[in-house]
Amino acid sequence: MSDLSVSLVRPEHWVSGVIFASPHSGCVYPDWFVRDTRLPMTALRSSEDAFVDRLTACAPGFGAVTLSAQVPRCIVDLNRGADEIDPLVVRGVPRHPLNQRTLAGLGVIPRVVSQGRAIHERPIDRAEAERRIAAYWRPYHQTLGALIAEARARFGQAILIDMHSMPHDALNHLHGPRPDMVLGNRHGLSAAARVSDAVTQAVEAEGWRIRRNSPFSGAYICSAYGRPGQNIHVVQLEIDRSLYMDEAAIKPHAGFDAFAVRMSRVIARLAVLEADGPAERIAAE
């Protein structure tokens, strides 16, 4: 497998089919990409969900699986469909109707990082786009799909907590109390209310404010995998980066360790989550 293969950590005892995934925390930048880009490393790293994988590293100790990307988001975005290809960044792609994310330069092969800064001087070849998707996108999603199927078979349920981070400035336009985290469940389409409520309660138990589906309701992973009618639940959780890191320097700040301890308590609560109540699970089994 490539040098940017996924990182999968299983617990000694998987408790209830919960998976914590981090598709945007990859920070392994191969030489071939660094040579080809027009941007300095600090600009490239601005699109990472930096250190989210460190925040979820405790999950196997509580009985949940972790899945983390190694590939940086600016090379290939694992939270996009393989067909979300921007013709402005990949030569030879038909100009079919595009969704708003792809139009904004945030397709599976991103055109820009934060603040609209272009990654490449010129479009890349279609063969290069297909190579990236085959080498990085498919292994991640094959692994994730297999984990979800395994959880469903073993526990009658799969619960994916898709972990992300958001720039502090991303919430500047919101009215009312500023949330610390945003839960996305595609407005109820990707996870049952019980699961979303459990995530909300775990976050609020630590004193953090949480908002649902605004400004982030969940992207490709939520829509592709969330099937609450089949007891497959996907919740996207966005964390304000300023709570644990210096966004300009892309380094953990002095409050990182204290934040990580509080976050570990959230993860501990969710690692043993059951989508149905105990009575319903027993009856189903």
Side-chain angles (χ1 to χ4, degrees):
M1 187 173 286
S2 75
D3 58 341
L4 300 184
S5 58
V6 300
S7 175
L8 170 64
V9 181
R10 291 177 175 270
E12 185 175 342
H13 175 59
W14 196 2
V15 175
S16 62
V18 176
I19 304 158
F20 287 89
S22 178
H24 287 162
S25 58
C27 58
V28 181
Y29 289 82
D31 291 342
W32 62 262
F33 179 79
V34 174
R35 286 194 302 268
D36 189 57
T37 181
R38 63 187 294 173
L39 296 176
M41 187 60 66
T42 52
L44 294 173
R45 294 201 65 196
S46 68
S47 68
E48 287 177 22
D49 289 343
F51 316 118
V52 167
D53 54 345
R54 285 175 56 177
L55 294 173
T56 61
C58 61
F62 298 120
V65 170
T66 61
L67 178 67
S68 303
Q70 304 299 294
V71 62
R73 181 184 186 181
C74 58
I75 295 178
V76 61
D77 192 332
L78 304 175
N79 199 21
R80 300 291 183 262
D83 60 347
E84 294 184 59
I85 298 180
D86 180 355
L88 295 180
V89 75
V90 180
R91 280 189 290 265
V93 174
R95 292 180 176 271
H96 53 77
L98 304 175
N99 60 38
Q100 290 300 312
R101 294 190 301 259
T102 307
L103 285 171
L106 300 174
V108 66
I109 307 295
R111 175 167 29 101
V112 299
V113 294
S114 63
Q115 301 174 7
R117 292 169 289 185
I119 297 169
H120 298 288
E121 292 281 0
R122 61 191 66 82
I124 67 173
D125 291 336
R126 186 168 184 174
E128 167 60 16
E130 292 173 349
R131 186 193 69 81
R132 294 188 197 182
I133 291 168
Y136 311 132
W137 190 96
R138 296 200 188 283
Y140 185 88
H141 284 280
Q142 287 167 356
T143 304
L144 179 57
L147 282 172
I148 289 172
E150 180 185 350
R152 182 75 168 75
R154 288 177 59 180
F155 304 103
Q157 67 171 26
I159 298 175
L160 172 63
I161 312 296
D162 200 45
M163 301 290 294
H164 296 262
S165 68
M166 56 190 174
H168 185 72
D169 291 348
L171 305 179
N172 285 347
H173 66 288
L174 297 180
H175 300 291
R178 186 186 188 95
D180 299 302
M181 302 185 193
V182 175
L183 181 154
N185 63 8
R186 305 294 293 177
H187 301 277
L189 296 179
S190 69
R194 178 183 174 90
V195 173
S196 298
D197 291 347
V199 175
T200 298
Q201 292 161 11
V203 169
E204 291 179 339
E206 289 301 315
W208 290 315
R209 290 185 297 272
I210 188 167
R211 181 176 179 137
R212 291 197 188 187
N213 292 310
S214 175
F216 307 106
S217 64
Y220 172 79
I221 288 172
C222 277
S223 61
Y225 295 100
R227 298 290 183 271
Q230 301 173 30
N231 222 7
I232 301 172
H233 309 271
V234 183
V235 169
Q236 177 177 289
L237 189 62
E238 297 268 1
I239 306 171
D240 183 341
R241 293 174 186 167
S242 69
L243 294 174
Y244 64 90
M245 65 177 280
D246 179 328
E247 294 185 73
I250 316 179
K251 294 180 179 179
H253 60 43
F256 181 90
D257 289 343
F259 179 87
V261 168
R262 295 171 69 189
M263 197 67 209
S264 72
R265 292 195 289 261
V266 173
I267 290 170
R269 287 170 176 259
L270 299 179
V272 297
L273 181 61
E274 293 185 352
D276 299 317
E280 290 86 349
R281 284 291 304 279
I282 291 169
E285 292 171 357

